[in-house]
Amino acid sequence: SAPPLILSNGSSRVHLPGSTTDILCSVKADLVHPSSQNPNEGVVELHVDLSLCGDGVSLGGASSGASKRRRQQREQESQVTSLLQRLVLPHAVNYKELVIWPGRYVWRLAIDVVVLRCDGCVLDGASIALREAIRETKLPRVQSLVSLDGDNSNDDKSSNPNGMSSLGGRENDLTVDGNIQNALPPSGCQNCPLVVTVSVLSAPPSTTGAITASFSKRNRSIPIVDARAEEEACASSRVCVSVDPSGMVCGVHTLGGGGVVLSDGGEEENGAGSSMPFAVLGDIVTTAAMASKNLYRLLDRGDGS
């Protein structure tokens, strides 16, 4: 496992076996005032950077020219960030437990994901790095000091025992425990989900003709888990499924479209803009949920390595 980053509260580095994918994630925590819309919830921010991977990243198509590659890179960064915000962040931690002083102080977790190199499934790798970094994050113990009528009702807190340092210089403020041994991970981080992307390929006629009558016609779509960059480029669509450690599906998002799909009557339909049949989508989600079990097993066995 990679050593923790010095200026981070938690970090991780992911190397996917059988590929050149290399992703680094850092979590930095600080105390901020909560937003007026959610005064009783903490804040989690996310930033994804693909600038260091250069030509090594491929999220579904090559481009020519430096400006075009940079424009495509920005679009890919925005897409990966948006998907992680929708599929992972809402379930990554218990936001209410990030509150130190309701309406006044909360934890803000600033998450930076840097893709150093990628050979397909960048979203899956980023979700692994994010989950492991959050699980490795340690938040120091913080106590609020509340005075009643100008007198502190707790003498032990006001004296800053056991290395507790005052934050703000006022009695009605916070003390932070400087002992790292007392630091704890964010509540709910063990339930942070992973994203499994299933690339859907349309089987060639020679393959579909060999399918026996016992198989449904919808099996003409070939699902591929952990696709390489070349396989992603051939996929007619991709389905991103967020699954937590208990096997519960937290979210589903489809990318792309077109290709060969089947109507409710089992007939083939061609052309872009066609939607994926619900039965096929259900099979793909089930495939992703099964793949996530193996992924969680490998991560637990390696203990984040």
Side-chain angles (χ1 to χ4, degrees):
S1 58
L5 299 179
I6 297 177
L7 299 180
S8 299
N9 292 79
S11 62
S12 67
R13 189 167 185 175
V14 173
H15 301 272
L16 296 184
S19 73
T20 59
T21 297
D22 190 0
I23 302 176
L24 184 67
C25 182
S26 168
V27 180
K28 185 173 178 58
D30 57 347
L31 291 172
V32 298
H33 297 296
S35 64
S36 57
Q37 293 83 3
N38 299 297
N40 295 320
E41 291 186 0
V43 180
V44 179
E45 300 176 350
L46 175 66
H47 176 258
V48 177
D49 185 5
L50 300 176
S51 61
L52 298 180
C53 59
D55 294 335
V57 67
S58 178
L59 301 182
S63 59
S64 59
S67 60
K68 185 176 181 180
R69 286 197 301 269
R70 180 56 185 163
R71 184 171 61 253
Q72 184 186 44
Q73 178 183 300
R74 292 195 187 100
E75 294 174 354
Q76 293 166 349
E77 289 175 345
S78 177
Q79 182 184 73
V80 173
T81 301
S82 176
L83 289 175
L84 290 175
Q85 288 174 338
R86 296 175 58 182
L87 298 177
V88 177
L89 290 193
H91 317 280
V93 295
N94 187 336
Y95 283 72
K96 295 185 181 298
E97 293 296 327
L98 294 178
V99 176
I100 301 300
W101 194 333
R104 188 166 181 181
Y105 289 114
V106 300
W107 282 113
R108 176 178 63 185
L109 304 182
I111 305 174
D112 290 290
V113 178
V114 180
V115 182
L116 304 176
R117 189 170 180 83
C118 186
D119 186 23
C121 289
V122 62
L123 181 64
D124 300 23
S127 72
I128 297 174
L130 190 155
R131 180 178 188 270
E132 295 305 312
I134 289 181
R135 292 178 64 190
E136 294 296 323
T137 297
K138 302 297 182 182
L139 301 180
R141 187 165 60 93
V142 180
Q143 292 180 338
S144 59
L145 305 179
V146 182
S147 294
L148 299 176
D149 298 329
D151 295 327
N152 198 307
S153 61
N154 191 330
D155 294 337
D156 291 336
K157 289 183 178 180
S158 62
S159 61
N160 294 338
N162 302 324
M164 299 284 283
S165 59
S166 177
L167 182 67
R170 300 191 303 271
E171 280 189 342
N172 293 351
D173 221 317
L174 306 176
T175 56
V176 180
D177 191 347
N179 188 353
I180 191 62
Q181 300 299 326
N182 296 331
L184 296 173
S187 176
C189 67
Q190 298 299 325
N191 296 322
C192 181
L194 294 173
V195 176
V196 177
T197 300
V198 181
S199 299
V200 182
L201 281 71
S202 298
S206 59
T207 303
T208 58
I211 298 177
T212 61
S214 61
F215 286 87
S216 171
K217 288 186 178 182
R218 67 172 180 266
N219 284 320
R220 293 172 182 173
S221 296
I222 302 175
I224 298 180
V225 178
D226 192 20
R228 300 291 295 270
E230 297 84 355
E231 295 168 328
E232 284 186 340
C234 297
S236 59
S237 62
R238 287 175 290 157
V239 181
C240 308
V241 184
S242 172
V243 187
D244 68 10
S246 66
M248 179 179 295
V249 176
C250 301
V252 178
H253 185 87
T254 59
L255 298 171
V260 178
V261 297
L262 297 177
S263 65
D264 294 336
E267 299 296 330
E268 290 186 0
E269 297 177 356
N270 290 306
S274 301
S275 59
M276 182 178 296
F278 184 78
V280 175
L281 181 60
D283 291 345
I284 292 174
V285 171
T286 300
T287 300
M290 294 176 61
S292 70
K293 293 182 179 180
N294 295 329
L295 184 55
Y296 278 116
R297 190 179 300 113
L298 290 174
L299 291 176
D300 292 340
R301 182 186 306 167
D303 194 25
S305 61

